Amino acid sequence: MYRLDPCHAPAPQAALAAGWAAVAAHLPPAPAVLAVDGPPTADWDLLATQLADTAHALVDVRTHYAAPATVRSLGDTDDDPYFAPLADNPLDDLFAALPRVAPAHDALVIVYGPGAALVDHDVLWYADVPKRYAEAAVVAGTPGTNLGLPGEKPDLKRLFYTDWPMLDRHRDALAPRLDAWLDVQDPARPVLIDGPGLRATYARLARGPVRTRPYFNSTPWGGHWAQHELGFDPGARNTALGYELIAPEAGILVGTGPDRQAEVPFQLMCVLEPEAVLGADVHARFGTSFPIRFDYLDTVGGGNLSLHCHPQETYMRERFGWSYTQHETYYMTLGGDGAKVFLGLRGDADVDVFRKQVEQAAAQGVPMDPEDHVHAFPAERGQLYMIPAGTPHASGAGNLVLEISATPYLYSLRFYDWLRPDAHGNPRPLPYEHGFANLETGRRGEAVARDLVPAPRTLREGEGWREEVIGALDEMFYEVRRHVLDAGAEADDDTAGRFHILNVVEGDGVRVLTEAGDRYDLAFAETLTVPAAVGRYRLRAIGDAPVRVVKALVR
């Protein structure tokens, strides 16, 4: 059965504490300066209140930020209403001047807030709230959600392109010397894990199978499959975008039970254990950026996605600051009757006419038919559709797509969105100028079906199983394979120095068995990371029916 809250055991030496009283018991003895850093979405006022009885002085670094106009000038400095380059500012730029703090005799001083680690300190904690809370807070209009702008109206563009890159670099740099990690997503019941125990836990996780905590977002095109089949948030508007493994936002639950578990970032495992997770060659190529993501596009009972493309590599690097771009693939886990996948230019497509119709739709609300310009393929269950950067594409209504893609995920260049309003009744943004600047016009017509709708090719096979290559293109740095196992069959595999990502696309599931003795039962629709350090492992089919497991790896 699909697990909504998969939890991993901490390292044996890790110390966990739950609740404010237990957290306070881990405060350092005086005299000391404790810095508690973290994102703006942490409830800093509550944290200060809860720890005030133990501290002799509290210093809120948010009162030392530079003037709002100065903070707003960081990162996003162009007039593009849709996107911005990833900010490369250090967190120091937020401050007019850092406070100078020194404890008096037998005094404990707590310096807290985003950037607190920049103040001289003796002990360092990080109080975290997963990124999904920040996005929800911005959408809800919660003041003070943006970095360095307490009390101000929030902005989603700033969150994505300025705040998150700055916060991520700052947090990643602190990871090797943190004395404690504090999960405060439940403000009434925080969970602390000590710093050495956290790093020991990451070292353990980096050498065995890891499943991140899934999450589903709602969007105007969303469907309801995940609500009906997985039981995710039945009261939500829909379950459109399923975050199975999107490394910049993914979390790993670590704990010893529902009341004693902390969510820690997947990304920090890549920072602290890069070669074990990624493999030496992948680490040399991508640094600590985990380069492949798995997510769901749920349009079952929903609508068509927008017709869009993603930036070509040079444009992505020079305009937006990502060192690699957003190649994608769609694996059709479920396809509705008559459902479609829009993919690639038709042979007779006239780009000038296409552009004119897009402009009329955006400016005057004139409907257009994307099939006049873009192929519409049947959404066949089990088919992989290749979507290299610049290719116009969209999943149609009625599908459950497993999107296997390069990790950059914040640059969808929309051409047309079916004249659909957003959740507030406003027209959805259409950054079609970016789209046409990146549109791939060379591959069209018959070449689209030939190159982008490939047939499986058997790579190797054994008794009751085979491994197929179902998608590989020269311009894409990763490929997609599929294990097909008869009921009860067992197949061998080997990371061979490169991480694997697995997802059960048909059947009850598989048991993943490593040479080190790890065992993980992976159910239908679940995603699992097999770090490079795992080496050889086996897949054993569970249940009485054949099983299919999709696998992605860096080529």
Side-chain angles (χ1 to χ4, degrees):
M1 178 180 292
Y2 186 94
R3 286 155 291 188
L4 298 173
D5 55 351
C7 190
H8 295 266
Q13 64 267 48
L16 274 74
W20 283 111
V23 167
H26 284 261
L27 290 168
V33 175
L34 167 64
V36 187
D37 212 315
T41 39
D43 191 335
W44 293 108
D45 295 335
L46 177 63
L47 181 144
T49 299
Q50 292 292 336
L51 301 182
D53 290 344
T54 309
H56 295 86
L58 295 166
V59 179
D60 184 350
V61 297
R62 295 173 298 174
T63 63
H64 295 265
Y65 289 152
T70 300
V71 173
R72 281 193 293 269
S73 71
L74 303 179
D76 181 10
T77 56
D78 61 28
D79 58 359
D80 186 332
Y82 307 110
F83 306 113
L86 300 179
D88 58 5
N89 306 79
L91 226 62
D92 309 56
D93 286 355
L94 291 176
F95 293 89
L98 289 165
R100 299 178 64 86
V101 178
H105 179 66
D106 289 336
L108 172 62
V109 179
I110 299 178
V111 184
Y112 64 94
L118 301 173
V119 177
D120 288 340
H121 56 270
D122 303 299
V123 179
L124 177 60
W125 291 7
Y126 198 92
D128 192 50
V129 177
K131 285 181 176 176
R132 60 184 178 272
Y133 290 89
E135 184 173 352
V138 171
V139 171
T142 305
T145 307
N146 285 122
L147 181 64
L149 297 169
E152 295 213 356
K153 181 180 178 181
D155 178 76
L156 198 60
K157 179 187 170 192
R158 184 170 188 85
L159 179 76
F160 289 159
Y161 305 114
T162 301
D163 297 357
W164 282 357
M166 291 176 66
L167 285 164
D168 287 354
R169 277 194 309 276
H170 179 67
R171 178 206 60 197
D172 293 356
L174 301 180
R177 61 185 184 89
L178 287 174
D179 295 294
W181 180 271
L182 192 58
D183 179 343
V184 292
Q185 61 185 295
D186 180 354
R189 188 174 174 79
V191 179
L192 178 145
I193 180 170
D194 70 296
L198 175 69
R199 288 182 285 276
T201 298
Y202 275 129
R204 180 177 181 174
L205 293 170
R207 289 160 176 83
V210 181
R211 173 155 166 74
T212 55
R213 184 181 203 171
Y215 177 73
F216 283 83
N217 253 347
S218 293
T219 74
W221 48 260
H224 305 279
W225 181 88
Q227 291 170 310
H228 298 157
E229 300 299 324
L230 306 182
F232 188 91
D233 200 356
R237 180 164 54 111
N238 56 54
T239 43
L241 180 59
Y243 287 59
E244 280 290 305
L245 174 61
I246 301 181
E249 297 193 33
I252 306 171
L253 284 174
V254 174
T256 56
D259 296 328
R260 289 174 60 84
Q261 60 186 24
E263 185 171 347
V264 298
F266 178 90
Q267 176 59 28
L268 284 192
M269 185 172 68
C270 302
V271 169
L272 293 167
E273 302 285 341
E275 291 198 3
V277 177
L278 299 162
D281 291 345
V282 179
H283 173 43
R285 183 173 178 183
F286 292 97
T288 59
S289 177
F290 191 86
I292 300 177
R293 63 185 171 93
F294 274 43
D295 59 84
Y296 283 117
L297 305 174
D298 175 4
T299 62
V300 178
N304 300 322
L305 268 70
S306 64
L307 183 68
H308 63 287
C309 72
H310 299 293
Q312 305 259 16
E313 185 135 353
T314 299
Y315 197 95
M316 178 70 104
R317 183 174 58 253
E318 295 179 355
R319 182 65 184 261
F320 298 135
W322 272 93
S323 60
Y324 59 105
T325 198
Q326 192 171 344
H327 298 301
E328 296 188 338
T329 67
Y330 281 0
Y331 184 90
M332 198 57 56
T333 301
L334 296 172
D337 291 339
K340 302 174 182 178
V341 173
F342 302 92
L343 179 66
L345 288 176
R346 291 168 44 131
D348 59 355
D350 184 321
V351 174
D352 291 334
V353 173
F354 182 22
R355 184 185 183 104
K356 182 178 180 180
Q357 290 184 1
V358 166
E359 290 173 342
Q360 289 177 331
Q364 303 167 32
V366 178
M368 62 175 285
D369 185 354
E371 292 186 47
D372 290 343
H373 313 285
V374 175
H375 291 284
F377 293 95
E380 296 182 8
R381 184 179 186 186
Q383 177 64 53
L384 185 80
Y385 304 85
M386 310 291 289
I387 312 170
T391 304
H393 65 283
S395 170
N399 298 329
L400 179 68
V401 170
L402 175 63
E403 187 176 48
I404 304 167
S405 306
T407 290
Y409 66 112
L410 296 175
Y411 296 97
S412 291
L413 315 180
R414 298 189 188 101
F415 299 106
Y416 182 64
D417 198 34
W418 316 93
L419 308 184
R420 177 168 45 207
D422 64 17
H424 303 291
N426 302 312
R428 297 187 80 205
L430 292 173
Y432 62 83
E433 293 285 0
H434 287 295
F436 282 105
N438 286 275
L439 181 64
E440 173 55 61
T441 59
R443 183 184 277 122
R444 58 167 66 210
E446 293 180 359
V448 173
R450 182 194 66 218
D451 297 346
L452 306 187
V453 191
R457 172 175 58 87
T458 297
L459 182 66
R460 59 193 186 101
E461 57 188 329
E463 185 177 352
W465 67 271
R466 69 181 182 273
E467 182 180 6
E468 307 167 326
V469 176
I470 59 173
L473 281 175
D474 287 344
E475 65 257 52
M476 295 173 66
F477 68 83
Y478 66 96
E479 67 182 49
V480 184
R481 301 179 185 177
R482 182 170 60 198
H483 286 281
V484 181
L485 296 91
D486 293 342
E490 187 170 295
D492 67 292
D493 210 338
D494 191 336
T495 62
R498 294 170 294 167
F499 70 86
H500 292 175
I501 311 175
L502 310 177
N503 179 282
V504 179
V505 293
E506 290 185 44
D508 293 332
V510 290
R511 179 163 294 162
V512 180
L513 302 157
T514 74
E515 284 203 329
D518 296 303
R519 165 181 150 173
Y520 197 98
D521 287 353
L522 190 67
F524 172 68
E526 292 186 335
T527 301
L528 188 72
T529 301
V530 183
V534 167
R536 297 182 63 179
Y537 66 96
R538 289 171 290 144
L539 299 176
R540 181 182 299 160
I542 296 172
D544 299 325
V547 177
R548 291 187 175 193
V549 181
V550 160
K551 176 176 75 179
L553 68 161
V554 175
R555 301 179 70 191

